[in-house]
């Protein structure tokens, strides 16, 4: 991982793993291509996420800039995301299989498990000096129609992947966001005990 510090790298009072603190979601990407080896490594990291009954419900559509898959994913994004995502050399879409393969029962943790896989991928990308930015702003009907996705699969998110670019090339509305420090809620707001919203003693 590059040693360069960035304003987006988080600072905590406790010794959290550095890769986690350095993971963030830029909108400015360079046009440097991502190697096949790095893509294989990132998707392998995703494949080793935990999942209910080891179902591994994640599926991905991978597009490289200039190919038809990339264009279809890009065209499914909302206009606000299209303003910046087209600078990334890789776009991919993540899907969750809604039922268990064995028996066909609904898998209520499928989206959770796909999220875990994507987080693994984000951390692996960070370790390789890359970044990914997840997007909920896309049209799932358009995306599934483009690729004839089976009804048993639900679109979870679209992602931009690449090397960090120059935020000066972003539309004005996004430039400040690339330089603003990141924040998180205090643990007392999210970790409870005894009853809801009663902060746990940590």
């Amino acid at each position: 991982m590059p040693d360069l510090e960035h304003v987006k790298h988080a600072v905590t009072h406790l010794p959290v793993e550095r890769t986690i603190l350095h993971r963030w979601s830029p909108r400015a990407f360079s046009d440097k291509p991502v190697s096949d080896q790095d893509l294989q490594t990132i998707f392998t990291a995703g494949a080793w996420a935990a999942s209910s009954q080891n179902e591994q419900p994640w599926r991905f559509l991978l597009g490289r800039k200039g190919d038809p898959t990339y264009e279809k994913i890009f065209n499914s994004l909302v206009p606000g995301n299209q303003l910046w995502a087209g600078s990334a050399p890789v776009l991919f879409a993540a899907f969750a299989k809604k039922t268990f393969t064995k028996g066909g029962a609904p898998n209520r943790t499928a989206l959770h498990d796909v999220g875990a896989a994507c987080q693994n991928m984000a951390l692996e990308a960070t370790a390789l000096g890359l970044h990914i930015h997840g997007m909920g702003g896309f049209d799932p009907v358009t995306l599934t129609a483009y690729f004839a996705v089976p009804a048993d699969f639900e679109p979870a998110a679209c992602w931009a992947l690449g090397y960090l670019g120059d935020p000066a090339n972003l539309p004005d509305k996004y430039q400040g966001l690339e330089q603003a420090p990141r924040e998180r809620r205090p643990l007392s707001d999210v970790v409870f005990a005894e009853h809801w919203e009663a902060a746990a003693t940590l």
Side-chain angles (χ1 to χ4, degrees), residues 79-150:
N81 285 332
Q82 289 181 344
L83 287 175
W84 59 267
S87 66
V90 174
L91 294 177
F92 66 92
F95 298 80
K97 188 175 186 297
K98 295 185 286 186
T99 60
F100 287 103
T101 300
K102 184 177 181 179
N107 182 356
R108 66 182 182 84
T109 66
L111 284 171
H112 171 276
D113 296 345
V114 173
C118 290
Q119 180 69 356
N120 273 16
M121 294 165 68
L123 294 175
E124 187 65 39
T126 300
L128 293 170
L130 292 148
H131 292 277
I132 70 175
H133 186 129
M135 295 170 279
F138 66 95
D139 182 346
V141 175
T142 298
L143 183 66
T144 55
Y146 273 143
F147 296 102
V149 177

Side-chain angles (χ1 to χ4, degrees), residues 12-199:
T12 63
H13 299 296
L14 295 170
V16 174
E17 173 61 40
R18 184 168 176 255
T19 305
I20 295 171
L21 300 181
H22 283 207
R23 185 222 58 80
W24 65 286
S25 304
R27 290 178 176 84
F29 289 93
S30 79
D31 59 4
K32 180 181 177 180
V34 180
S35 71
D36 288 348
Q37 180 176 344
D38 282 350
L39 288 173
Q40 290 171 9
T41 299
I42 290 166
F43 281 96
T44 298
W48 281 98
S51 65
S52 178
Q53 300 184 38
N54 197 29
E55 173 65 28
Q56 304 170 49
W58 43 78
R59 303 291 188 275
F60 303 98
L61 285 163
L62 171 64
R64 298 173 177 84
K65 195 163 190 177
D67 73 21
T69 302
Y70 186 104
E71 293 304 315
K72 290 175 180 178
I73 295 172
F74 179 83
N75 289 336
S76 76
L77 300 177
V78 299
N81 285 332
Q82 289 181 344
L83 287 175
W84 59 267
S87 66
V90 174
L91 294 177
F92 66 92
F95 298 80
K97 188 175 186 297
K98 295 185 286 186
T99 60
F100 287 103
T101 300
K102 184 177 181 179
N107 182 356
R108 66 182 182 84
T109 66
L111 284 171
H112 171 276
D113 296 345
V114 173
C118 290
Q119 180 69 356
N120 273 16
M121 294 165 68
L123 294 175
E124 187 65 39
T126 300
L128 293 170
L130 292 148
H131 292 277
I132 70 175
H133 186 129
M135 295 170 279
F138 66 95
D139 182 346
V141 175
T142 298
L143 183 66
T144 55
Y146 273 143
F147 296 102
V149 177
D152 195 29
F153 289 86
E154 178 178 355
C158 293
W159 297 82
L161 166 65
Y163 292 93
L164 190 62
D166 185 353
N169 295 326
L170 289 170
D172 290 343
K173 65 182 288 187
Y174 294 123
Q175 289 185 21
L177 296 176
E178 299 292 278
Q179 302 301 325
R182 295 159 62 214
E183 297 180 351
R184 286 297 185 268
R185 298 177 188 272
L187 296 183
S188 59
D189 284 0
V190 297
V191 185
F192 308 145
E194 300 201 20
H195 61 83
W196 193 255
E197 294 188 346

